[in-house]
Amino acid sequence: MANRKSGVLLHITSLPGTPGIGTLGTEAYRFADWLKSAGQSLWQMLPLGPTGYGDSPYASFSTFAGNPLLIDMDDLVKRGWAEKDAVVPPEYIKNDGDVDFGSVVWWKIPLLYKCASYFLAHGTKDDLVKYEAFKNDQSNWLNNFADYTSIKKYYDAKAQSEKLFGVETMWCNYWPQKLAEHDPSAVSQWDAEHTQDIEEIKVVQFFFNEQWTALKKYVNNLGIQIIGDIPIFVAGDSADVWANRRFFQFDGLKQKTCAGVPPDYFSATGQLWGNPLYDWDAMKKDNYSWWVDRIKNMLRLVDIVRIDHFRGFEAFWQIPYGAPNAVKGAWIKGPGKALFDEIKNRLGTLPIIAEDLGVITPEVEELRDSCGFPGMKILQFAFNEQKWSPESAQNKDLPSNYKSNNIIVYTGTHDNDTTTGFFAAADKNLVKNAADYFNVKETPEPAEMTDVLIKAAFASTADTCVIPVQDICALGSETRMNMPSTTGKNWKWRMTPNLLDSTKAAYLKTLGDRYNRNLQ
């Protein structure tokens, strides 16, 4: 990342114009074209895995699989893998408005399995050869994911009909014991009895892979790189944990501990994520092969990998399973540089961004720097006090305090309010502090401050800056993507059609020209 670059943060689900949810179809290509016209060389998005409870892309059923909801139905028709009449959505599925995940799942997932069945019966010889090659190439995760999904489909429905769903709904609590234990004989028997179902699950993943590969090739040919995102931890209710329980802190089928963070900027009681924690000793004995495979798979899909909660590799917040919140936890040492040395030895140079937000110690900074990974700066975090003080001037997120060029600067992230929303809700003295710092008028409007922070990001010494689409358009809090430690309203925002026009492209291109960041 030696050259100065800039880009835009927008998740696929937020693209407009397709039934219920953004997809890998035409609008994704249009957005890539818009990025090029705006002189941008980076497209950052959120994790791509299949989402579960709460619809969070950071709580996926698999860290290797693609999200079926992102598959574009019109593209399947164009490829001859679905019939046109079959993919017409019901009236309650709209092309505009926020994502209604429940409705989309209800309509789209069964439809995709029907399309998979159609593909298996009507696919061309070349299509089927390509599908077999995909299955062979990705067998190390695909077989477990298909088994897990097939079993989950059956026993989720059974548990719901028997009213077994409640707080404890992870597979280990309501699947037959042998299947929950991933017993090879039990899994083989399931395979033999559910051949068609498992095959259709694999076909849906093939659909995703083909559409994603085509989009990535198009984006890269424009000179744009894709920044992907992976959470440090994986969901307990996932194929990853089910098939690899030996690498996680379990006692038999019982989860012992869970992940989170202590009280911080976002929450007074911390964040109780609930994810199982890794058994790093077991992973080390296996030469960290699971993590090597995970990074290898991500680098197949994207050009640069942002690892969420990087500080957990130096030390992680360990919370007893069943705790009501994240307050009573403890910092436990992680694998440190040994993990990344092993990954680098096996995969080569690692284009990784370290999400180093939160409680960051000198040890975390040393790990990040020793690996050569760029960290992150958030301009919203630079102004969190109502009264300016000598301590305020030391804030590490202020552009005047950047000690290295090897960083990524953002106005805000998917976890922040939009910058316009942030300043609209901020104390007037905080706004004044920000205005004074950037030498603008004393009582700027929130949208004006958004423009100021975008320009500051472009002008900064950071090698890279990334701006969320909501900030480019100076949108308010109603378009916020996520509010940590809450559920119900997150991840739903979608752009309106033509929100990103030539005027906004020219705005970014002018900044890129001015501050030497434009796509060459």
Side-chain angles (χ1 to χ4, degrees):
M1 293 190 179
N3 298 326
R4 286 170 64 81
K5 297 179 180 179
S6 60
V8 175
L9 170 59
L10 177 73
H11 194 41
I12 297 290
T13 57
S14 295
L15 289 165
T18 45
I21 192 170
T23 72
L24 302 174
T26 301
E27 290 294 335
Y29 290 80
R30 284 187 61 194
F31 179 68
D33 290 337
W34 182 87
L35 284 174
K36 182 175 176 61
S37 72
Q40 303 306 293
S41 57
L42 297 168
W43 178 358
Q44 180 171 332
M45 53 190 68
L46 305 184
L48 296 166
T51 51
Y53 175 76
D55 310 309
S56 171
Y58 293 88
S60 174
F61 292 132
S62 169
T63 192
F64 293 87
N67 188 348
L69 300 181
L70 304 184
I71 293 171
D72 188 78
M73 305 310 298
D74 290 340
D75 180 77
L76 293 186
V77 174
K78 290 178 184 177
R79 293 172 183 264
W81 297 348
E83 295 179 290
K84 186 174 182 179
D85 292 345
V87 303
V88 176
E91 290 185 1
Y92 63 84
I93 300 292
K94 306 297 183 184
N95 282 12
D96 55 7
D98 288 349
V99 181
D100 180 352
F101 281 96
S103 296
V104 173
V105 169
W106 184 262
W107 161 66
K108 197 167 187 177
I109 296 300
L111 175 58
L112 284 168
Y113 290 134
K114 290 180 181 178
C115 294
S117 178
Y118 182 86
F119 170 85
L120 290 169
H122 299 92
T124 67
K125 182 178 180 180
D126 286 345
D127 289 339
L128 294 173
V129 168
K130 189 180 290 187
Y131 168 58
E132 290 298 325
F134 167 75
K135 286 198 298 180
N136 182 63
D137 292 343
Q138 306 304 322
S139 60
N140 66 315
W141 65 266
L142 183 61
N143 292 338
N144 282 325
F145 174 74
D147 287 332
Y148 163 85
T149 304
S150 175
I151 299 167
K152 183 174 175 61
K153 281 168 59 181
Y154 180 86
Y155 284 104
D156 272 11
K158 189 172 188 295
Q160 193 155 6
S161 67
E162 296 177 2
K163 303 189 186 309
L164 296 179
F165 273 113
V167 177
E168 302 285 348
T169 57
M170 202 161 69
W171 44 267
C172 52
N173 297 303
Y174 62 100
W175 289 12
Q177 184 170 341
K178 289 296 184 182
L179 285 176
E181 291 174 343
H182 196 257
D183 177 78
S185 296
V187 173
S188 294
Q189 183 176 346
W190 185 273
D191 286 345
E193 295 173 355
H194 300 83
T195 304
Q196 180 69 14
D197 186 40
I198 289 170
E199 203 67 27
E200 289 172 2
I201 292 166
K202 293 179 179 179
V203 170
V204 171
Q205 285 301 304
F206 173 71
F207 289 165
F208 176 91
N209 185 77
E210 289 298 291
Q211 290 189 359
W212 176 262
T213 301
L215 176 62
K216 183 178 184 295
K217 181 179 179 181
Y218 184 85
V219 170
N220 288 165
N221 285 342
L222 293 176
I224 299 167
Q225 293 181 300
I226 295 176
I227 301 176
D229 196 332
I230 60 173
I232 182 175
F233 301 117
V234 296
D237 193 2
S238 68
D240 310 302
V241 177
W242 173 63
N244 300 281
R245 201 161 22 96
R246 66 191 185 281
F247 294 142
F248 297 86
Q249 293 188 25
F250 272 74
D251 181 7
L253 290 175
K254 184 178 180 181
Q255 184 177 335
K256 297 191 294 184
T257 58
C258 60
V261 291
D264 61 6
Y265 171 88
F266 291 111
S267 174
T269 57
Q271 297 178 43
L272 181 62
W273 297 335
N275 310 68
L277 291 168
Y278 299 110
D279 183 337
W280 285 115
D281 288 338
M283 285 199 160
K284 182 178 180 180
K285 291 176 183 176
D286 193 54
N287 297 316
Y288 302 110
S289 293
W290 184 88
W291 261 99
V292 172
D293 289 343
R294 189 182 190 194
I295 297 297
K296 181 179 179 180
N297 184 67
M298 276 301 296
L299 292 176
R300 177 179 69 88
L301 298 172
V302 304
D303 303 295
I304 302 165
V305 179
R306 172 192 179 273
I307 300 182
D308 196 56
H309 196 61
F310 178 82
R311 72 103 52 244
F313 294 110
E314 194 284 319
F316 52 91
W317 191 245
Q318 180 173 287
I319 306 162
Y321 186 72
N325 56 47
V327 172
K328 293 185 178 180
W331 288 112
I332 307 296
K333 284 294 182 181
K337 193 168 182 288
L339 168 66
F340 296 103
D341 285 343
E342 182 64 27
I343 298 172
K344 184 176 181 179
N345 287 339
R346 294 167 66 178
L347 300 181
T349 302
L350 301 177
I352 286 175
I353 296 170
E355 186 272 283
D356 54 347
L357 308 179
V359 182
I360 302 303
T361 64
E363 291 82 3
V364 177
E365 294 175 344
E366 182 182 351
L367 173 61
R368 177 200 64 207
D369 294 344
S370 67
C371 293
F373 301 153
M376 294 172 52
K377 303 294 182 185
I378 311 300
L379 289 178
Q380 285 186 30
F381 290 168
F383 305 98
N384 53 15
E385 297 179 8
Q386 297 177 15
K387 185 177 180 181
W388 195 259
S389 67
E391 289 74 22
S392 304
Q394 303 300 315
N395 188 308
K396 65 182 180 64
D397 291 286
L398 287 171
S400 50
N401 291 329
Y402 296 171
K403 297 179 181 179
S404 167
N405 296 341
N406 191 30
I407 53 177
I408 321 291
V409 61
Y410 298 77
T411 48
T413 74
H414 63 275
D415 282 334
N416 295 98
D417 198 349
T418 68
T419 300
T420 297
F422 171 79
F423 281 110
D427 179 89
K428 64 180 181 180
N429 291 318
L430 185 151
V431 177
K432 182 179 183 301
N433 290 340
D436 287 345
Y437 180 85
F438 292 114
N439 195 29
V440 298
K441 67 180 185 180
E442 190 168 308
T443 56
E445 294 297 321
E448 293 178 277
M449 286 306 301
T450 297
D451 178 62
V452 168
L453 262 62
I454 291 173
K455 289 176 178 175
F458 269 80
S460 75
T461 59
D463 284 339
T464 305
C465 76
V466 175
I467 313 297
V469 159
Q470 294 95 317
D471 287 354
I472 294 168
C473 302
L475 300 178
S477 299
E478 70 280 1
T479 66
R480 181 172 182 164
M481 197 65 170
N482 179 49
M483 183 177 291
S485 298
T486 69
T487 58
K489 297 182 179 180
N490 298 324
W491 317 112
K492 296 183 176 183
W493 177 72
R494 291 184 80 186
M495 291 197 301
T496 55
N498 303 314
L499 177 67
L500 295 174
D501 55 20
S502 59
T503 301
K504 294 182 180 66
Y507 166 70
L508 286 186
K509 195 169 190 310
T510 297
L511 292 179
D513 286 337
R514 182 181 300 163
Y515 300 113
N516 190 31
R517 292 191 185 276
N518 267 349
L519 179 64
Q520 302 300 316

